[in-house]
């Protein structure tokens, strides 16, 4: 069928993802191809020392994003979206959204970017003998308990951003297992929260006398392909205030951006992995077995169907690059030159390929916020060089591209070198890889591993959650998720692979050794703010 027929017959599938700087909607056809999209740009706010997005901005952003999608459909196909085969909602993982019994948020949404939960994360990691990251929901709620926050006793429901949006659209308090594994660890065997850790937490906080136990307030976990409810009449109006979209559309389990990245890169099988690089960066390696011990830089989460994944999550990636590109844009505007942002990015990324393999000695620390992987509770973006370094534009840009994935290398060295984890294929996606061959080559050097990038890399998580929504309604062969993606969606396509060169690997290793020594400068900048 052509796209117009697919849309008007209600067979299109919608995926929406709330990223850190953009909310994106992707409409796909019956062959999983994107046929329309919409977006809305937004930014987090630092309020009372914590990174947040307001409830008002969440809904205004969602509605503007959907309106943008409707406009794209009207322009391309001269029709309206009245019904859909399925919808999927995804968002940045982790964080803290706590609601009372009136469905009112008790404190502003605390995002993954906050690093104020150090005491809680350390205590819980020791209690569970399991690495509990700063950004996980269990760290946030326990930090609130340690702080004596009054709102904790009023909590009726605790969820993530994806879980919140899904709840408001369907009335269902559920969460995809991948996103749920960033609230508190899940058991890959039972496909739900780890019972022993839940018990230990309840015993830990029992003296406080709260009127809830942990399982009372957490969403129900679901795996990919399970029914997660349908769009209510109220939910349809919240998504599309024009009243055009009809209720009754099925939704797949809401997932985090890590899970949608795995789906979008066909990386849910064991011995596959992906790297998502945008505002933040993270690598996901699907494990064949558990690691030998906990590691602070490595989080254990799951695929959307519940397999164990080693995740290295870095709070910072391309934000500082974006800030420098804006400086170059302003310089062009000052000279009266017409600005094309895509051209600026393309030229600056490509010139980095002309730089020295070790960036001529220049270092870039992209820490817009704290970076737990390298032990920074706060961030100070900076460029570091000595008087004798080879300071030119090519090395300057290459240093920024290296720096964007510097912290990512720390955790992956543990996996690939210390734990001996085997990976057959690593696929990159996100804005870092948008300029063909550049970010891909840099990551190959960092990990000393071939990196694949698909043509769909730029579609990102919104396409990934659309694929998971498609898995809910179009899996007539009853395939498991890995086989569905491999056979139905990707048809064996693994993208274009770039292998590392010995020169690039040696250069990146030299850069990272300088980077490690230079972390003392970053620590000093944070301590002497």
């Amino acid at each position: 069928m052509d796209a117009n027929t697919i849309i008007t017959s209600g067979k299109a599938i919608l995926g929406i993802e709330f990223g850190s700087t953009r909310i994106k909607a992707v409409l796909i056809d019956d062959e999983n191809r994107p046929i329309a999209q919409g977006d809305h740009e937004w930014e987090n706010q630092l309020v009372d020392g914590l990174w947040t997005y307001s409830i008002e901005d969440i809904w205004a952003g969602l509605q503007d994003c959907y309106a943008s999608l409707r406009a794209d459909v009207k322009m391309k196909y001269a029709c309206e979206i009245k019904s859909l085969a399925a919808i999927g909602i995804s968002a940045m993982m982790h964080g803290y959204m706590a609601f009372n019994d009136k469905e009112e948020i008790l404190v502003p949404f605390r995002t993954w970017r906050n690093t104020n939960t150090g005491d809680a994360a350390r205590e819980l990691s020791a209690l569970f003998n399991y690495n509990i990251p700063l950004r996980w929901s269990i760290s946030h709620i326990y930090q609130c308990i340690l702080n004596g926050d009054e709102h904790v006793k009023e909590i009726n429901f605790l969820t993530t951003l994806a879980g919140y949006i899904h709840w408001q659209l369907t009335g269902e308090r559920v969460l995809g297992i991948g996103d749920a594994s960033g609230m508190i660890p899940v058991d890959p065997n039972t496909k739900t929260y780890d019972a022993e850790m839940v018990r230990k937490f309840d015993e830990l906080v029992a003296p406080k006398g709260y009127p809830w136990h942990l399982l009372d307030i957490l969403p129900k976990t679901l795996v990919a392909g399970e029914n997660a409810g349908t769009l209510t009449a109220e939910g349809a109006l919240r998504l599309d205030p024009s009243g055009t979209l009809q209720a009754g559309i099925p939704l797949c389990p809401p997932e985090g951006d890590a899970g949608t990245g795995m789906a979008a890169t066909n990386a849910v099988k064991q011995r596959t992995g992906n790297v998502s690089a945008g505002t933040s960066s993270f690598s996901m390696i699907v494990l064949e077995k558990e690691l030998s011990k906990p590691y602070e830089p490595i989080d254990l989460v799951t695929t959307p169907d519940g397999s164990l994944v080693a995740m290295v999550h870095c709070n910072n990636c391309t934000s500082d690059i974006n800030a420098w590109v804006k400086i170059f844009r302003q310089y062009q505007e000052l000279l009266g030159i017409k600005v094309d942002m895509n051209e600026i990015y393309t030229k600056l990324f490509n010139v980095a390929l002309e730089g020295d393999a070790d960036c001529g000695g220049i270092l870039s620390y992209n820490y817009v916020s704290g970076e737990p992987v390298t032990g920074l509770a706060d961030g100070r973006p900076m460029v570091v060089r000595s008087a004798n370094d080879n300071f030119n534009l090519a090395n300057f840009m290459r240093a920024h591209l290296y720096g964007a994935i510097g912290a990512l290398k720390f955790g992956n060295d543990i996996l690939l070198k210390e734990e001996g984890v085997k990976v057959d294929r690593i696929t990159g996606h996100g804005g870092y890889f948008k300029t063909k061959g550049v970010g891909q080559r840099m990551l190959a050097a960092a990990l000393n591993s071939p990196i694949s990038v698909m043509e769909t890399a730029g579609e990102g998580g919104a396409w990934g959650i659309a694929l998971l929504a498609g898995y809910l309604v179009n899996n007539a062969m009853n395939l498991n998720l890995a086989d569905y993606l491999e056979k139905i969606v990707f048809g064996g396509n693994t993208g274009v692979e770039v292998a590392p060169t010995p020169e690039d690997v040696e250069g990146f290793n030299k850069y990272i050794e300088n980077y490690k020594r230079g972390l003392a400068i970053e620590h000093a900048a944070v301590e002497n703010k």
Side-chain angles (χ1 to χ4, degrees), residues 439-519:
Q440 190 176 3
R441 179 172 159 183
M442 304 300 169
L443 184 63
L447 301 186
N448 192 18
S449 172
I451 303 297
S452 296
V453 172
M454 299 182 182
E455 289 183 10
T456 51
E459 300 297 341
W463 184 59
I465 191 64
L467 297 181
L468 292 175
Y471 180 63
L472 173 69
V473 296
N474 290 334
N475 187 19
M477 297 171 65
N478 200 30
L479 299 171
N480 63 42
L481 180 60
D483 286 343
Y484 176 84
L485 293 173
E486 180 71 27
K487 296 176 181 179
I488 305 300
V489 177
F490 292 95
N493 177 25
T494 57
V496 177
E497 184 178 275
V498 168
T501 67
E503 181 186 13
D504 281 350
V505 172
E506 182 182 354
F508 200 101
N509 285 339
K510 185 176 179 181
Y511 175 91
I512 210 69
E513 288 306 314
N514 291 335
Y515 182 98
K516 290 176 182 177
R517 288 192 292 270
L519 280 171

Side-chain angles (χ1 to χ4, degrees), residues 351-420:
V351 78
L353 297 177
E354 302 172 15
D356 299 326
D358 66 350
C359 307
I362 303 166
L363 294 173
S364 167
Y365 293 97
N366 63 335
Y367 299 165
V368 173
S369 64
E371 188 53 77
V373 171
T374 51
L376 273 299
D378 201 356
R380 294 292 181 274
M382 64 172 67
V383 175
V384 178
R385 67 186 180 98
S386 71
N388 296 324
D389 288 338
N390 187 12
F391 187 60
N392 57 38
L393 181 60
N395 282 334
F396 179 80
M397 287 307 302
R398 193 174 183 116
H400 280 294
L401 288 168
Y402 276 13
I405 54 174
L408 193 69
K409 180 174 173 59
F410 280 54
N412 279 279
D413 278 353
I414 294 172
L415 288 174
L416 302 177
K417 295 179 181 179
E418 295 184 32
E419 285 285 332

Side-chain angles (χ1 to χ4, degrees), residues 54-175:
S54 71
I55 292 292
E56 294 75 19
D57 284 349
I58 290 169
W59 290 105
L62 176 62
Q63 291 168 5
D64 185 60
C65 176
Y66 185 79
S68 173
L69 174 72
R70 285 182 63 211
D72 192 43
V73 167
K74 286 181 181 178
M75 180 187 71
K76 288 177 176 175
Y77 311 113
C79 63
E80 269 282 9
I81 306 169
K82 295 183 179 179
S83 188
L84 294 159
I87 298 173
I89 299 296
S90 173
M92 58 193 92
M93 288 179 73
H94 324 297
Y96 185 71
M97 297 193 82
F99 299 86
N100 62 19
D101 57 6
K102 298 178 182 177
E103 299 189 6
E104 300 166 332
I105 195 163
L106 292 167
V107 292
F109 168 37
R110 297 175 183 178
T111 78
W112 56 269
R113 177 164 261 173
N114 291 293
T115 55
N116 64 308
T117 56
D119 291 342
R122 279 190 295 274
E123 192 170 329
L124 292 174
S125 294
L127 178 68
F128 298 155
N129 190 31
Y130 200 96
N131 180 44
I132 304 298
L134 302 179
R135 64 189 181 281
W136 281 17
S137 305
I138 198 71
S139 295
H140 280 281
I141 190 172
Y142 189 52
Q143 190 64 53
C144 292
I145 292 170
L146 291 178
N147 294 345
D149 291 355
E150 285 294 316
H151 78 268
V152 176
K153 65 179 181 293
E154 299 180 51
I155 296 176
N156 179 261
F157 184 42
L158 178 65
T159 190
T160 65
L161 179 56
Y164 166 64
I165 298 294
H166 183 97
W167 171 41
Q168 294 298 299
L169 296 182
T170 66
E172 300 291 336
R173 297 186 177 193
V174 299
L175 197 59

Side-chain angles (χ1 to χ4, degrees), residues 105-431:
I105 195 163
L106 292 167
V107 292
F109 168 37
R110 297 175 183 178
T111 78
W112 56 269
R113 177 164 261 173
N114 291 293
T115 55
N116 64 308
T117 56
D119 291 342
R122 279 190 295 274
E123 192 170 329
L124 292 174
S125 294
L127 178 68
F128 298 155
N129 190 31
Y130 200 96
N131 180 44
I132 304 298
L134 302 179
R135 64 189 181 281
W136 281 17
S137 305
I138 198 71
S139 295
H140 280 281
I141 190 172
Y142 189 52
Q143 190 64 53
C144 292
I145 292 170
L146 291 178
N147 294 345
D149 291 355
E150 285 294 316
H151 78 268
V152 176
K153 65 179 181 293
E154 299 180 51
I155 296 176
N156 179 261
F157 184 42
L158 178 65
T159 190
T160 65
L161 179 56
Y164 166 64
I165 298 294
H166 183 97
W167 171 41
Q168 294 298 299
L169 296 182
T170 66
E172 300 291 336
R173 297 186 177 193
V174 299
L175 197 59
I177 191 170
D179 204 4
S181 66
M183 297 193 76
I184 183 173
V186 300
D187 184 338
N189 297 312
T190 63
K191 310 298 185 189
T192 190
Y193 304 107
D194 187 286
E196 182 64 11
M197 295 186 197
V198 168
R199 182 190 65 78
K200 287 182 177 181
F201 183 85
D202 282 339
E203 287 182 356
L204 178 66
V205 304
K208 300 290 184 180
Y210 296 124
W212 50 259
H213 292 95
L214 190 57
L215 292 183
D216 298 334
I217 61 174
L218 290 179
K220 178 185 177 182
T221 60
L222 297 175
V223 298
E226 288 193 288
N227 177 29
T230 57
L231 186 67
T232 64
E234 296 82 3
L237 282 173
R238 296 207 76 174
L239 180 57
D240 178 19
S242 75
T244 307
L245 187 65
Q246 299 170 4
I249 300 165
L251 274 78
C252 70
E255 266 296 351
D257 48 4
T260 60
M262 286 186 276
T265 55
N266 191 20
V268 300
K269 280 186 177 180
Q270 292 180 355
R271 294 174 66 112
T272 65
N274 79 91
V275 171
S276 174
T279 304
S280 64
S281 69
F282 51 83
S283 64
M284 311 287 293
I285 307 296
V286 188
L287 300 174
E288 296 178 279
K289 60 181 181 179
E290 292 193 7
L291 301 180
S292 64
K293 61 180 180 179
Y295 294 93
E296 190 170 343
I298 299 172
D299 313 338
L300 293 177
V301 292
T302 77
T303 63
D305 58 350
S307 295
L308 196 63
V309 177
M311 179 182 192
V312 178
H313 183 284
C314 305
N315 281 4
N316 303 280
C317 186
T318 60
S319 292
D320 197 38
I321 293 175
N322 295 340
W324 279 104
V325 170
K326 288 178 182 177
I327 294 294
F328 288 110
R329 181 194 70 188
Q330 291 168 11
Y331 175 69
Q332 280 194 281
E333 291 172 341
L334 189 64
L335 296 179
I337 300 171
K338 185 178 179 181
V339 173
D340 181 330
M341 290 302 288
N342 286 330
E343 183 181 17
I344 296 176
Y345 273 102
T346 300
K347 286 187 179 298
L348 288 174
F349 271 52
N350 276 315
V351 78
L353 297 177
E354 302 172 15
D356 299 326
D358 66 350
C359 307
I362 303 166
L363 294 173
S364 167
Y365 293 97
N366 63 335
Y367 299 165
V368 173
S369 64
E371 188 53 77
V373 171
T374 51
L376 273 299
D378 201 356
R380 294 292 181 274
M382 64 172 67
V383 175
V384 178
R385 67 186 180 98
S386 71
N388 296 324
D389 288 338
N390 187 12
F391 187 60
N392 57 38
L393 181 60
N395 282 334
F396 179 80
M397 287 307 302
R398 193 174 183 116
H400 280 294
L401 288 168
Y402 276 13
I405 54 174
L408 193 69
K409 180 174 173 59
F410 280 54
N412 279 279
D413 278 353
I414 294 172
L415 288 174
L416 302 177
K417 295 179 181 179
E418 295 184 32
E419 285 285 332
V421 170
K422 303 299 182 186
V423 188
D424 296 328
R425 186 183 74 247
I426 298 177
T427 305
H429 69 116

